[in-house]
Amino acid sequence: MVFMTHPILAVFAFTGDHTNKIIENAVSERMTGNTVLQKLSSLGLEKKDSPHHIGLKRASVLVPLFERDSSDDKQVGARECSSNLHVLFTQRPTKMSSHGGEVCFPGGRQDEEDNGDDVVTATREAFEEVGLHPQYVEIIGRMESIESKHSLCVTPIIGIVRPPNKAEPSNLTLNADEVEAVFAVPLAYFANPVNCVSQTRIKYGSRKDFVIRTYIFDDVSTGRQFRIWGLTAHIVHAVAQIAFKKELSQASSIEYEMTVNESAEVIEETWDEQDEKEIT
């Protein structure tokens, strides 16, 4: 499932090395995976739809988290994180005529068989795309649903995968028609503004400016580089803000503090019609 930003929007870049920079003071050394999960669980599992979402076509994405032993982690900077939680991403096949090669979360449109359940939609899509069975996914949080300007309501669902090896990229079975590659990134990576290589600032009506981010991640285990941006980047940034909000470093001059509600408003204004056609 891919969502992209509008091409006309002005972009300002954060200059610097595009390698995986996770500075020690980005996250407190006292943080643990359990603490992070407790914060994310505070989101609750109840629906967070606005009244005007009623009747809209629905879609869901799964944000799959899993614990990775930092002593075995080959990712640059991963051992500097006190939390070893990683987030799983997929990449669309480059041969696809539209949005080929884009990074996204497992997810898609809600089917009739889902019986209106956003969690079922997200976990079903994850199983269809990468073979991650729902029995291994414990749902810990539901984020605020987002209405697109083309009247599609999307719900991000946060899940922790147990046992964690079920989410390791090497153990997944990819649907070649929908997924070309999978990779994992430390969740704390998205809590550090140094890792944001560009930001798109949006002015909408009388509301304040909003920011959409782009991340370039070098996956050392595969030797590949992935660009994470658009709605996918916005969702994972919001998740990281909730998980590490009290431990974020104030050293950077980049303005990156946003609430979950602000994030939802940004996302709502950055879809284009083609994005919705790509939700399957």
Side-chain angles (χ1 to χ4, degrees):
M1 182 175 183
V2 177
F3 306 86
M4 301 173 66
T5 55
H6 197 286
I8 300 178
L9 300 173
V11 176
F12 62 91
F14 179 87
T15 58
D17 194 350
H18 287 185
T19 55
N20 307 328
K21 301 174 180 176
I22 304 179
I23 55 178
E24 290 187 34
N25 64 345
V27 180
S28 168
E29 288 301 323
R30 294 188 299 273
M31 287 293 291
T32 66
N34 287 336
T35 303
V36 171
L37 293 180
Q38 288 172 3
K39 290 187 176 183
L40 294 175
S41 296
S42 68
L43 287 169
L45 300 179
E46 70 280 358
K47 281 191 175 183
K48 301 174 178 64
D49 295 352
S50 297
H52 62 275
H53 288 173
I54 298 175
L56 298 181
K57 293 182 179 180
R58 304 187 69 87
S60 300
V61 295
L62 180 67
V63 182
L65 303 177
F66 68 101
E67 295 178 337
R68 176 179 276 177
D69 187 350
S70 60
S71 64
D72 296 330
D73 199 329
K74 299 179 181 179
Q75 303 301 336
V76 174
R79 289 183 295 275
E80 297 174 15
C81 297
S82 51
S83 170
N84 61 357
L85 279 176
H86 284 60
V87 59
L88 184 73
F89 294 95
T90 67
Q91 182 186 42
R92 292 171 62 82
T94 54
K95 65 181 180 181
M96 298 190 78
S97 58
S98 180
H99 302 327
E102 292 292 334
V103 169
C104 53
F105 289 117
R109 284 184 182 270
Q110 191 169 94
D111 289 346
E112 185 176 351
E113 65 189 79
D114 300 333
N115 296 317
D117 192 324
D118 298 319
V119 172
V120 171
T121 301
T123 55
R124 173 183 56 76
E125 288 284 343
F127 181 63
E128 293 177 359
E129 292 179 12
V130 300
L132 179 60
H133 199 284
Q135 75 182 71
Y136 301 122
V137 182
E138 177 187 348
I139 304 304
I140 61 173
R142 181 196 301 257
M143 301 184 72
E144 180 179 349
S145 294
I146 307 151
E147 180 186 352
S148 81
K149 61 184 179 182
H150 297 293
S151 301
L152 184 67
C153 184
V154 178
T155 302
I157 303 295
I158 304 173
I160 179 73
V161 181
R162 294 191 174 107
N165 67 311
K166 296 296 183 180
E168 283 291 348
S170 59
N171 294 333
L172 297 172
T173 302
L174 310 188
N175 181 339
D177 292 332
E178 299 187 54
V179 178
E180 180 175 293
V182 290
F183 64 101
V185 183
L187 180 59
Y189 178 84
F190 301 99
N192 185 356
V194 173
N195 294 319
C196 179
V197 299
S198 70
Q199 300 183 42
T200 301
R201 189 171 291 276
I202 303 172
K203 181 71 174 180
Y204 180 75
S206 60
R207 289 188 256 180
K208 63 175 289 186
D209 288 356
F210 297 116
V211 177
I212 295 176
R213 294 161 177 79
T214 298
Y215 301 88
I216 304 296
F217 184 74
D218 295 314
D219 186 19
V220 177
S221 62
T222 63
R224 298 186 58 183
Q225 186 177 83
F226 296 96
R227 181 173 181 250
I228 306 165
W229 72 303
L231 182 60
T232 300
H234 223 59
I235 291 174
V236 74
H237 172 264
V239 172
Q241 288 286 306
I242 296 168
F244 302 108
K245 58 186 175 182
K246 291 184 179 180
E247 284 74 28
L248 295 174
S249 171
Q250 302 299 318
S252 173
S253 60
I254 296 180
E255 178 184 356
Y256 62 93
E257 290 291 346
M258 297 177 63
T259 66
V260 175
N261 288 336
E262 287 173 339
S263 298
E265 289 177 319
V266 179
I267 295 168
E268 180 177 344
E269 301 306 325
T270 57
W271 290 34
D272 58 35
E273 187 172 0
Q274 184 62 42
D275 294 334
E276 293 193 9
K277 294 178 181 179
E278 293 304 314
I279 304 173
T280 56

